[in-house]
Amino acid sequence: MSCCLLDFGRVQELRQVRDFLFQKHNNAGPEEEKTRAENELTWDDSDWGSWENPDGKEDGAQAEEEEQLQSAPWLQDCVMSLSPCSDLLVIARDHKATFLSAKWRTDESGQEEMTLSVTWSGTLSAEEGECICSVICIPLASQKRSSTGRPDWTCVVVGFSSGYVRFYTESGVLLLAQLLHEGPVLQLKCRTYEIPRHSGVTEQHEELSILYPAALVTIDGFSLFQSLRACRNQVARAAAAGSDVIQPPPLAYKKWGLQDMDTITDHSSIGITTLSVFNQMKNASMLGGFHASVKGSPPAMSQYITVGGGPYTGFYYAIEGSSQPLLSHVALAVASKLTSALFSAASGWLGWKSKNEEESVQKQKPKVEPATALPVRFGLPDSRRHGESICLSPCNTMAGVTDDFGRVTLLDVARGIAIRMWKGYRDAQLGWVQVSEARGERDLATSPSMPRRHAQFLVIYAPRRGILEVWGTQHGPRIGAFTVGKQCRLLYAGHRLMGVNSVTSQGWQIHTQQVCLFDPVNGALRAVTIPFHLALSDKKSERAKDMHLLRRLTTLLRSREVEPGLLESEAQSVLLDIKHPAIKKQALESLLSNKNAPVFCLTNVTRALLASLKEQDAEAVDESLLQFCSSQLKLLQLYTDVQLLHIPDTSPTEPEHPSFSAIEEDLARVGPVLQRYTEMNSRPCVSFAQDSSGPLPVRTFLSQLEWVNGELRVIKQPDTDWTQLGSFLFWGCLSGQSPLQRVCETLQESGISPQQLLSLLLSVWLNKEKDVLKYPDAVSHLGTLLSTLSSMKGAVDESWDGQCVSPWWQQVRTACVQSESSAAALLAALVAHRVAKNAITRLGESKFQEDWECVSLELEQWVVCIKQLEDVLALQTLLCLPSPQGSTGGAVTRCSVKTLLESGRGGVADCVSKLIFRQGVSPDLLRDILQRRGENEPLQQGGEEKLEELLECVCQRFPNSLSPDVLFAHCSWENVVQWNKDPEVGQYLEWSVEFLKMISNPHIQFGVSAMMWQTFIVKRFSATAFLMEKVGKAPKDRLCRRDVGMGDAAVRSFLGSSVQLLQALMEVSSSSFLPSFPFFSRADSAVEQVSAPDMCVEEVWGGAEGPVSIVELALDQRSVHYPLVQHHCVLASLLQAAMTFSLRLKPLSLFDSKGKNAFFRDLSSIQLLPSGDMDHNLVAVRQEFLMNVLTGWVKVLAESEENSVKHSSTEDMWPSVCMELSSILQVNTDILRRHLVCELYNQGLDLRAEEVMMEVQDKDVLGSQLLVLTGQRLAFYLLHSQSQTKPNMELLARLPPTLCTWLKAMDPSELRCPSVPLSQSSRLINKVIEMLPENHGQYSLALHLLEAVDSLHEEP
């Protein structure tokens, strides 16, 4: 609520800027050389004793020089200008300048801050001997419709001592240069568009004013804006085209010769003003005398104020529309040579002026227009005082002037008088801050159409004292003072964006800094922030005094180490001194919300304030403040009473309340489950110091209770706040440390309703479960509290007869049902049940005979609730089972009766399936556990035994919700969901399919498999097929991750699981009309043979409503088209084979157009599938691929046998799969078998080949193929083996020529395993002779081969 000085940016690279602007000159003159020689001849003892540290002098001198340079006020010798948008800073000296632009960066704390860094530095002077005198940064508004008020770019205007005014871009590119007057430029100032605050304010035009020693030049803002934009665009086009920049035409301007002043140092352009009729007549009579004539309407005049000497301040008025001409080079040229000058200027601007003309223009000295004389209207004469600077206020009504006497004078611009003066501010720098009033800040409600009020504050920086002050105008006090450095610069632009008008400014949010303080020591840029209400305060204002007292109290409360006595006395004094009720209430609220104030201090202060209010006149006292004090005092007294009751004392104990004997029976019944639950929740957990149970702070107590219509109510807060308040009230009673009856009496007298006390009691009981289970007597204390609270007036309705549901006990059941603390909820329900039963029994005894047993609807509600809570406790005990280390899954799932009822009929199975996944239970292990559920054969491992025990307990309580088929279905779905989240883990999908196969009911199995395919599998399956079709082979890991979302190894596992899923879907589908294939169908288990099951749940959970369960969704699935499923299964097998053996394949190319169109459709739709004979070329491609699959399988088989690795049964399935695929794909199966036999012999696996050979139909062809293979083996043994012996050579010579020639023509390199024992080759040739008929053309050759092999075999 006070003005402050905030950092909004920082200037970097200040050292580089200083070194660039103040470069040291080492060229010493003759006088310096002479002085240096004299110093060398003079005895110097300044470094006497420095011989002890010879290096210290040099280092110390260098450090001292650096420190002096740093502390030197170098910034005062520079010319500076900061853009109003704070995005550009210009620092110049002599002929050099540096441009610093804004950038955003993140500091070490992670917060973004604006920094200004050097973007351009160089020399700006173009003529010899000229230096920079003045600089101004003018941001130009964007003309785009999407602009929101940020500048398009910023123009840097520089005035030189030669009289030139040059315009540059942010990157130092010269746009325009013009000589306006011969003489140094003293000041550059700009006036931009301001939105009029009301209709009486004249809308001011934009202009740039340039002050010379005896002249003032003004340039219209609109024409300057258009010219600068055109120059910038032309320079950009010339730079892009690589051509020369064309000299733009000169600017239009007005030049006034300021007369009647000896010296002028600064100026301000006020704008167009219109005198009132009285002032017009007064001026006319004073200037023209008695007979002066007065015009009908006052003329519009441009007002200028100058400061300097003789007079001290001068006021000039130039009447608009008078004889002052619009001066420019173009206007004078029109008067002399109109046509030629216009054509030459236009041609140069449009780009066709010759280079000779440009050079002549540049060499010619610019012509300077004469100034129009403008006499001073009046001034403030002071012969000894010399003005140094003038700073105009934002609304053009006041101006601050500094002089050489160290005074700051405040001028009234309209009246031309000095209205205030400050002394003791030598070399002061001025600035203005205008603050708008926020809506809703006035005391009286005003119309929204009324304009907002504005306040203006004068900012004065005194560098001699190093202080920055903020003063209220016109006669306001000093509202702020800040101690700053003595080398700072106060940067005040006095303008905003140029190019804005009443149309383009609509909807804009123009953010500009008004006053900025630049500290060169640390480079900080600081802005002055002032609240509006400070303009309304003065020394005699009661509101200001009250605000001061409030700030004083706030400061006192913020200090940590304050004695309670001092705090009480100071706070009481402040509260009694404050006059306004609203501020007094705010101060009391601040005191009550303080965390360090003790309760007795708050009570005494509130009591004193209430007493003072009651002593005042009733009509003068604010009623809301009086009620607030009274209510807070009652709350403080209640807090004190409860706190005293919780203090242990030695008073006689109260008589014991009767215990509930039936509770012991209930506790014995649920004891085992409670014990297991306690063991599971006894693991250590992380706790924080601020969460530890401590006394409830009084401010928290006061913030949670309120008085409404004479009744004390608890404010609805989150559960944690209710628990904290409930612990303060009841935990002492539950733990046995506080007197129960006295606490209940105190709370009843306080006015809190029994329903809210019950809510607080249940909140602390249910949320502090671990602490409750540690106290054995907490259950009996809870029963006593419930019995006491239920006996309070207003707790149980007097008209309740036991045959309807009581709202009081329904509140208890609702809290227990909604709680996730299963053990605490069950104990609370058991206790409340016994208390309610006793009440109903007493009610029945009073109305009926004593030997009647009372049957009540209320008791039936309690029986159902307790049964539900017992089931939830068993389930929660299972869910609290710790996960194995490194397993996947989130935190422990917390459940309640409400969440289970809202989760539908499959909520229990869903929770258990998530636990089974988190525990990493395999399908086989879960099946064994469920099978042994009725037997006493637990597993031997500790963790699995615990899981089996808890799971068996839960399954006994949920026999329908956790039936094997339902549990398998949910486990299958949970695994596929987790696989979809992490596809790289193929085991999830494999286990999902295995769980699916364990479902015994075909309807559930069919529905789950169909949903898995449609929801998770088909999208990735189609992506894999299209990717393989695109690359034409098994894709690499990178492509698989890009298109399918998993690696190549995961894709192989995924395809295998997809085949298993489709096969499971076919097994339960109607397939009686199709041929039987073991891997692609099973016609004996159709869905039609088994009726659909009924989805039922336990009786107490029959009211479950919520999402449809997985089993219910599965039973609603439509039947699938079996041929379409088989069609997809064939494709999946082909993809799996290609990925397994890294084969080249375009899978979709193996099918015709009908087959391609049928892929990836809904399995329940009827698609047109291929029928009849297939194209022979397509069949040939299929046959080649299946043969490659068999070849790849043989290679893998040989590698596993060489490495003595036992291959799995899934690897042995590939020959059978290929044979079944050949039947479906219309490929000759016998050709594949013959190819498999040859590949096995080629690999040296003769025994496996003989097994397959028995199924071959065409023996003749196979015999011919094997004859060639035998020849290759014999040729390798005789001709290519390294161990060629003499008997072998002799045998080769004895062979028939035909056989010898045939063996030499054999190529043993085609054999993958050529070194085979001769016994196997002899067995092979015998098989060949058996297969070949005697009339076969190669039968004789086979006999010769047999003789040769036998001869070799007989050799020793």
Side-chain angles (χ1 to χ4, degrees):
M1 301 295 289
S2 60
C3 62
C4 55
L5 199 61
L6 302 177
D7 292 358
F8 70 92
R10 190 168 300 277
V11 179
Q12 295 182 335
E13 305 174 356
L14 271 178
R15 181 184 180 87
Q16 290 82 345
V17 173
R18 183 194 62 193
D19 295 342
F20 175 74
L21 297 177
F22 294 86
Q23 290 183 354
K24 298 180 179 180
H25 302 283
N26 297 325
N27 300 329
E31 296 295 334
E32 295 177 357
E33 293 290 341
K34 181 178 179 180
T35 305
R36 184 183 303 172
E38 292 177 356
N39 291 337
E40 291 178 354
L41 296 175
T42 307
W43 180 271
D44 186 12
D45 57 352
S46 60
D47 58 345
W48 187 265
S50 62
W51 54 271
E52 297 179 356
N53 186 10
D55 299 332
K57 176 183 177 182
E58 184 178 356
D59 296 342
Q62 188 175 3
E64 184 178 358
E65 180 183 359
E66 179 67 24
E67 184 178 358
Q68 291 178 358
L69 187 60
Q70 180 71 19
S71 60
W74 63 274
L75 203 61
Q76 308 298 335
D77 299 334
C78 300
V79 180
M80 292 184 62
S81 177
L82 178 66
S83 171
C85 299
S86 305
D87 56 353
L88 183 65
L89 176 65
V90 178
I91 306 177
R93 179 178 179 271
D94 292 341
H95 57 280
K96 297 180 181 180
T98 302
F99 295 177
L100 298 96
S101 299
K103 296 180 181 178
W104 289 92
R105 70 178 185 91
T106 305
D107 58 6
E108 298 177 353
S109 61
Q111 297 181 354
E112 293 187 352
E113 65 173 358
M114 187 192 73
T115 59
L116 291 170
S117 56
V118 177
T119 56
W120 182 88
S121 59
T123 302
L124 295 181
S125 60
E127 295 186 358
E128 185 178 359
E130 69 176 359
C131 60
I132 300 172
C133 297
S134 181
V135 175
I136 188 174
C137 298
I138 304 177
L140 275 68
S142 175
Q143 299 298 302
K144 298 180 180 179
R145 293 185 178 181
S146 61
S147 177
T148 58
R150 297 298 301 173
D152 187 13
W153 62 288
T154 304
C155 178
V156 180
V157 187
V158 184
F160 293 87
S161 58
S162 59
Y164 267 96
V165 177
R166 297 185 176 92
F167 301 83
Y168 299 88
T169 64
E170 307 101 321
S171 57
V173 178
L174 178 63
L175 298 177
L176 182 62
Q178 191 165 347
L179 181 64
L180 302 175
H181 188 74
E182 291 184 351
V185 177
L186 299 182
Q187 279 293 337
L188 294 170
K189 291 193 177 182
C190 180
R191 186 177 71 243
T192 55
Y193 174 79
E194 290 286 343
I195 301 176
R197 295 197 300 274
H198 52 84
S199 58
V201 178
T202 306
E203 184 173 324
Q204 300 295 336
H205 299 288
E206 298 178 328
E207 73 171 8
L208 174 66
S209 58
I210 307 163
L211 179 66
Y212 290 92
L216 178 64
V217 177
T218 60
I219 302 176
D220 180 62
F222 178 77
S223 61
L224 177 63
F225 177 76
Q226 300 297 336
S227 300
L228 290 177
R229 289 185 63 228
C231 290
R232 185 169 179 262
N233 295 336
Q234 200 272 336
V235 168
R237 285 194 297 266
S243 58
D244 297 334
V245 179
I246 302 174
Q247 186 69 23
L251 297 170
Y253 60 90
K254 294 180 181 179
K255 182 190 291 188
W256 305 102
L258 303 179
Q259 298 180 348
D260 305 328
M261 280 194 71
D262 298 340
T263 58
I264 299 176
T265 58
D266 200 356
H267 78 290
S268 284
S269 176
I270 311 302
I272 299 176
T273 59
T274 303
L275 297 176
S276 62
V277 178
F278 176 79
N279 290 334
Q280 179 189 9
M281 297 176 65
K282 180 190 67 173
N283 294 338
S285 62
M286 293 180 64
L287 297 176
F290 181 76
H291 300 284
S293 61
V294 181
K295 296 182 180 180
S297 59
M301 299 177 293
S302 296
Q303 182 181 3
Y304 306 100
I305 302 178
T306 59
V307 296
Y312 160 60
T313 304
F315 292 79
Y316 294 85
Y317 294 87
I319 300 177
E320 294 291 326
S322 60
S323 59
Q324 289 87 350
L326 183 65
L327 303 177
S328 70
H329 294 336
V330 178
L332 293 180
V334 169
S336 58
K337 298 180 180 179
L338 179 63
T339 305
S340 61
L342 278 177
F343 181 79
S344 114
S347 62
W349 177 246
L350 294 176
W352 59 72
K353 181 184 287 188
S354 62
K355 293 184 178 180
N356 296 332
E357 290 178 323
E358 292 182 4
E359 293 177 357
S360 62
V361 170
Q362 293 176 358
K363 293 179 181 179
Q364 182 181 359
K365 186 176 181 181
K367 185 176 180 181
V368 179
E369 307 294 342
T372 302
L374 184 65
V376 64
R377 176 71 61 89
F378 60 89
L380 299 178
D382 193 334
S383 58
R384 298 178 56 191
R385 192 182 305 274
H386 187 276
E388 294 180 345
S389 66
I390 182 172
C391 185
L392 185 65
S393 66
C395 61
N396 300 340
T397 57
M398 292 175 289
V401 180
T402 63
D403 54 42
D404 56 349
F405 285 177
R407 305 292 195 271
V408 176
T409 306
L410 184 64
L411 300 181
D412 188 332
V413 172
R415 295 186 294 172
I417 60 175
I419 57 179
R420 191 172 185 180
M421 181 177 288
W422 294 268
K423 64 178 181 178
Y425 295 92
R426 191 173 299 276
D427 301 331
Q429 302 172 25
L430 307 181
W432 289 89
V433 175
Q434 180 173 283
V435 183
S436 302
E437 181 185 18
R439 292 293 184 183
E441 194 167 331
R442 302 188 191 183
D443 294 333
L444 298 177
T446 57
S447 174
S449 60
M450 293 185 62
R452 292 191 296 177
R453 294 184 295 180
H454 292 74
Q456 300 183 81
F457 300 91
L458 180 64
V459 181
I460 305 176
Y461 169 58
R464 297 289 184 94
R465 295 188 292 164
I467 189 173
L468 182 74
E469 297 180 349
V470 181
W471 291 83
T473 56
Q474 302 178 2
H475 301 283
R478 189 181 75 171
I479 61 174
F482 309 95
T483 301
V484 295
K486 296 184 178 181
Q487 305 173 20
C488 301
R489 285 286 294 271
L490 189 67
L491 304 177
Y492 176 69
H495 61 276
R496 295 192 178 186
L497 272 69
M498 178 174 283
V500 181
N501 52 47
S502 59
V503 177
T504 60
S505 63
Q506 294 181 359
W508 280 17
Q509 296 180 356
I510 305 177
H511 302 282
T512 56
Q513 295 288 348
Q514 300 188 56
V515 172
C516 172
L517 183 70
F518 175 47
D519 190 353
V521 177
N522 54 9
L525 293 171
R526 301 174 181 174
V528 181
T529 303
I530 307 172
F532 178 81
H533 73 86
L534 294 179
L536 310 176
S537 305
D538 52 22
K539 295 181 180 180
K540 298 181 180 180
S541 173
E542 289 186 356
R543 182 181 179 87
K545 181 182 178 181
D546 290 347
M547 294 300 297
H548 172 73
L549 293 173
L550 177 61
R551 287 195 298 270
R552 176 182 168 186
L553 177 61
T554 304
T555 305
L556 179 65
L557 294 176
R558 286 178 181 175
S559 57
R560 297 183 178 180
E561 299 180 357
V562 181
E563 295 182 0
L566 177 62
L567 177 63
E568 179 181 346
S569 60
E570 289 291 333
Q572 183 174 342
S573 174
V574 168
L575 284 171
L576 295 179
D577 289 345
I578 295 178
K579 304 301 181 182
H580 285 74
I583 302 178
K584 183 172 293 190
K585 184 178 180 181
Q586 183 180 357
L588 181 59
E589 290 176 349
S590 300
L591 177 63
L592 294 175
S593 61
N594 184 259
K595 62 180 180 180
N596 298 324
V599 60
F600 71 88
C601 173
L602 300 179
T603 305
N604 296 336
V605 172
T606 307
R607 185 180 290 110
L609 179 60
L610 182 61
S612 66
L613 292 176
K614 291 181 179 180
E615 293 175 358
Q616 298 178 9
D617 189 6
E619 298 180 356
V621 177
D622 186 77
E623 187 66 24
S624 62
L625 177 61
L626 183 63
Q627 294 179 359
F628 179 75
C629 292
S630 177
S631 62
Q632 296 300 309
L633 185 59
K634 292 179 181 178
L635 291 177
L636 290 171
Q637 188 63 42
L638 175 62
Y639 179 87
T640 304
D641 295 342
V642 174
Q643 194 176 32
L644 291 176
L645 288 176
H646 290 329
I647 299 176
D649 55 1
T650 58
S651 60
T653 58
E654 299 177 359
E656 291 288 339
H657 288 274
S659 62
F660 306 98
S661 59
I663 293 183
E664 302 296 334
E665 301 177 1
D666 296 336
L667 293 178
R669 177 170 49 86
V670 299
V673 183
L674 280 173
Q675 184 178 1
R676 287 196 295 263
Y677 179 81
T678 306
E679 292 175 359
M680 291 299 164
N681 285 272
S682 60
R683 291 173 296 169
C685 59
V686 179
S687 61
F688 298 93
Q690 59 267 27
D691 297 337
S692 59
S693 57
L696 180 70
V698 62
R699 64 169 184 172
T700 307
F701 181 81
L702 295 176
S703 64
Q704 295 177 3
L705 295 173
E706 62 178 353
W707 283 91
V708 179
N709 299 327
E711 182 182 353
L712 186 59
R713 295 182 182 179
V714 181
I715 303 175
K716 293 184 178 181
Q717 294 288 348
D719 292 339
T720 54
D721 295 335
W722 281 69
T723 304
Q724 197 174 10
L725 180 60
S727 300
F728 174 72
L729 297 178
F730 293 109
W731 182 246
C733 301
L734 292 174
S735 59
Q737 300 176 0
S738 302
L740 299 177
Q741 194 65 28
R742 292 176 59 189
V743 171
C744 292
E745 291 176 357
T746 303
L747 295 177
Q748 187 176 9
E749 294 173 358
S750 66
I752 305 178
S753 64
Q755 287 76 14
Q756 288 197 335
L757 290 176
L758 179 62
S759 299
L760 292 172
L761 175 61
L762 294 176
S763 175
V764 62
W765 178 268
L766 297 175
N767 287 286
K768 300 187 70 172
E769 184 184 55
K770 289 186 177 181
D771 297 331
V772 164
L773 296 177
K774 294 179 182 178
Y775 291 95
D777 298 334
V779 175
S780 61
H781 295 320
L782 176 64
T784 305
L785 284 173
L786 283 177
S787 178
T788 306
L789 292 179
S790 60
S791 62
M792 288 183 179
K793 183 179 180 180
V796 181
D797 192 1
E798 297 178 356
S799 62
W800 177 60
D801 58 356
Q803 299 304 320
C804 59
V805 178
S806 171
W808 172 265
W809 299 116
Q810 183 60 37
Q811 180 181 355
V812 181
R813 284 194 295 271
T814 302
C816 294
V817 164
Q818 294 178 352
S819 175
E820 294 180 353
S821 302
S822 306
L826 178 59
L827 292 175
L830 291 174
V831 172
H833 175 219
R834 292 305 170 185
V835 174
K837 188 174 182 179
N838 292 339
I840 294 173
T841 303
R842 289 193 300 270
L843 183 64
E845 291 176 353
S846 62
K847 292 184 178 181
F848 307 101
Q849 298 179 5
E850 296 183 1
D851 55 347
W852 283 31
E853 183 178 355
C854 186
V855 179
S856 172
L857 179 62
E858 181 69 36
L859 296 181
E860 294 299 323
Q861 294 279 345
W862 277 117
V863 171
V864 174
C865 179
I866 291 174
K867 181 62 171 62
Q868 290 176 340
L869 289 173
E870 290 178 0
D871 294 346
V872 170
L873 179 60
L875 178 61
Q876 187 64 61
T877 305
L878 175 64
L879 297 180
C880 291
L881 195 66
S883 303
Q885 188 173 5
S887 62
T888 307
V892 175
T893 305
R894 308 296 301 184
C895 63
S896 63
V897 176
K898 181 182 179 182
T899 56
L900 287 183
L901 290 174
E902 293 177 351
S903 60
R905 293 174 175 262
V908 178
D910 183 64
C911 294
V912 176
S913 64
K914 287 182 169 59
L915 171 80
I916 291 174
F917 172 79
R918 191 168 63 246
Q919 293 291 330
V921 180
S922 64
D924 296 334
L925 178 59
L926 180 61
R927 180 182 56 193
D928 295 341
I929 292 176
L930 295 180
Q931 288 178 354
R932 288 193 304 270
R933 188 170 63 182
E935 304 173 2
N936 295 325
E937 297 179 1
L939 295 177
Q940 298 301 322
Q941 290 89 357
E944 295 176 356
E945 181 181 359
K946 197 70 174 178
L947 172 65
E948 182 177 358
E949 179 186 358
L950 297 177
L951 184 60
E952 179 183 355
C953 179
V954 175
C955 290
Q956 289 177 355
R957 292 188 171 274
F958 297 94
N960 298 325
S961 299
L962 293 179
S963 62
D965 283 352
V966 175
L967 187 56
F968 288 148
H970 280 269
C971 289
S972 176
W973 192 259
E974 178 64 24
N975 276 272
V976 76
V977 168
Q978 296 296 334
W979 169 83
N980 188 55
K981 295 179 181 178
D982 189 4
E984 292 293 334
V985 187
Q987 184 186 15
Y988 296 161
L989 185 58
E990 295 175 2
W991 282 10
S992 176
V993 177
E994 291 183 22
F995 278 121
L996 177 68
K997 291 181 179 180
M998 291 179 183
I999 301 175
S1000 60
N1001 189 281
H1003 294 272
I1004 300 177
Q1005 186 180 7
F1006 165 76
V1008 174
S1009 58
M1011 290 191 302
M1012 286 174 57
W1013 170 262
Q1014 190 64 29
T1015 307
F1016 301 105
I1017 307 299
V1018 66
K1019 184 177 180 181
R1020 298 183 189 271
F1021 182 72
S1022 60
T1024 306
F1026 288 132
L1027 175 61
M1028 195 174 296
E1029 181 73 16
K1030 180 179 179 181
V1031 299
K1033 60 179 180 179
K1036 300 297 183 182
D1037 186 81
R1038 180 182 62 84
L1039 295 178
C1040 291
R1041 294 185 184 277
R1042 185 192 66 183
D1043 291 4
V1044 190
M1046 64 182 84
D1048 54 352
V1051 169
R1052 285 193 292 271
S1053 175
F1054 161 68
L1055 292 175
S1057 300
S1058 300
V1059 173
Q1060 296 292 325
L1061 175 64
L1062 292 172
Q1063 288 178 357
L1065 186 58
M1066 288 191 296
E1067 288 177 2
V1068 294
S1069 302
S1070 177
S1071 56
S1072 57
F1073 59 89
L1074 291 174
S1076 176
F1077 298 104
F1079 285 93
F1080 294 93
S1081 68
R1082 193 176 69 192
D1084 58 347
S1085 59
V1087 176
E1088 289 80 359
Q1089 299 178 4
V1090 181
S1091 61
D1094 295 331
M1095 184 62 187
C1096 58
V1097 295
E1098 294 72 20
E1099 182 180 359
V1100 295
W1101 297 99
E1105 295 180 357
V1108 183
S1109 65
I1110 299 297
V1111 177
E1112 292 174 327
L1113 289 175
L1115 295 177
D1116 291 339
Q1117 296 299 310
R1118 294 184 297 173
S1119 60
V1120 298
H1121 186 45
Y1122 182 87
L1124 185 58
V1125 179
Q1126 188 185 56
H1127 192 55
H1128 282 84
C1129 189
V1130 171
L1131 177 61
S1133 300
L1134 296 175
L1135 295 176
Q1136 183 188 10
M1139 288 296 298
T1140 302
F1141 303 113
S1142 300
L1143 302 178
R1144 289 188 172 274
L1145 171 68
K1146 288 191 174 183
L1148 301 181
S1149 301
L1150 300 182
F1151 301 89
D1152 57 3
S1153 58
K1154 295 180 182 179
K1156 293 179 181 178
N1157 294 331
F1159 282 127
F1160 319 123
R1161 304 286 184 178
D1162 188 4
L1163 296 181
S1164 61
S1165 61
I1166 306 299
Q1167 300 295 329
L1168 187 61
L1169 296 173
S1171 61
D1173 295 336
M1174 195 63 60
D1175 184 22
H1176 295 290
N1177 296 328
L1178 199 57
V1179 173
V1181 176
R1182 295 175 174 178
Q1183 176 180 320
E1184 181 184 359
F1185 175 72
L1186 293 179
M1187 293 170 65
N1188 292 335
V1189 173
L1190 293 174
T1191 302
W1193 174 75
V1194 171
K1195 291 180 180 179
V1196 173
L1197 184 63
E1199 292 177 359
S1200 61
E1201 291 193 357
E1202 288 179 3
N1203 299 327
S1204 299
V1205 179
K1206 185 179 179 181
H1207 49 275
S1208 60
S1209 59
T1210 56
E1211 296 179 355
D1212 288 339
M1213 74 176 183
W1214 282 110
S1216 301
V1217 171
C1218 290
M1219 299 311 162
E1220 294 188 16
L1221 287 175
S1222 65
S1223 302
I1224 299 174
L1225 299 176
Q1226 300 182 7
V1227 178
N1228 191 344
T1229 307
D1230 200 58
I1231 295 177
L1232 295 182
R1233 287 195 178 97
R1234 293 199 303 267
H1235 176 75
L1236 178 58
V1237 171
C1238 294
E1239 288 296 325
L1240 290 171
Y1241 274 118
N1242 195 350
Q1243 195 67 48
L1245 304 174
D1246 293 10
L1247 295 178
R1248 285 183 174 269
E1250 292 176 4
E1251 295 176 2
V1252 181
M1253 189 188 304
M1254 300 173 63
E1255 301 178 5
V1256 177
Q1257 301 295 331
D1258 194 348
K1259 303 290 186 178
D1260 296 349
V1261 179
L1262 179 60
S1264 301
Q1265 293 175 342
L1266 295 180
L1267 183 63
V1268 175
L1269 194 142
T1270 307
Q1272 292 174 347
R1273 288 185 177 183
L1274 188 58
F1276 176 79
Y1277 189 80
L1278 294 176
L1279 302 176
H1280 300 279
S1281 177
Q1282 299 295 333
S1283 60
Q1284 293 182 357
T1285 60
K1286 182 178 180 181
N1288 292 347
M1289 295 298 102
E1290 292 178 355
L1291 176 62
L1292 184 61
R1294 293 196 305 266
L1295 291 178
T1298 305
L1299 179 59
C1300 185
T1301 304
W1302 184 75
L1303 288 175
K1304 291 180 179 180
M1306 293 293 102
D1307 185 10
S1309 61
E1310 297 178 1
L1311 296 175
R1312 288 192 291 274
C1313 183
S1315 58
V1316 180
L1318 288 176
S1319 60
Q1320 295 185 11
S1321 300
S1322 176
R1323 184 179 178 86
L1324 175 58
I1325 194 59
N1326 287 324
K1327 294 287 185 181
V1328 172
I1329 293 175
E1330 292 176 3
M1331 286 186 287
L1332 293 177
E1334 293 182 1
N1335 58 354
H1336 196 276
Q1338 295 178 335
Y1339 187 78
S1340 60
L1341 184 61
L1343 294 176
H1344 290 308
L1345 277 176
L1346 179 59
E1347 294 176 359
V1349 172
D1350 291 341
S1351 299
L1352 289 174
H1353 191 61
E1354 293 174 357
E1355 291 291 334

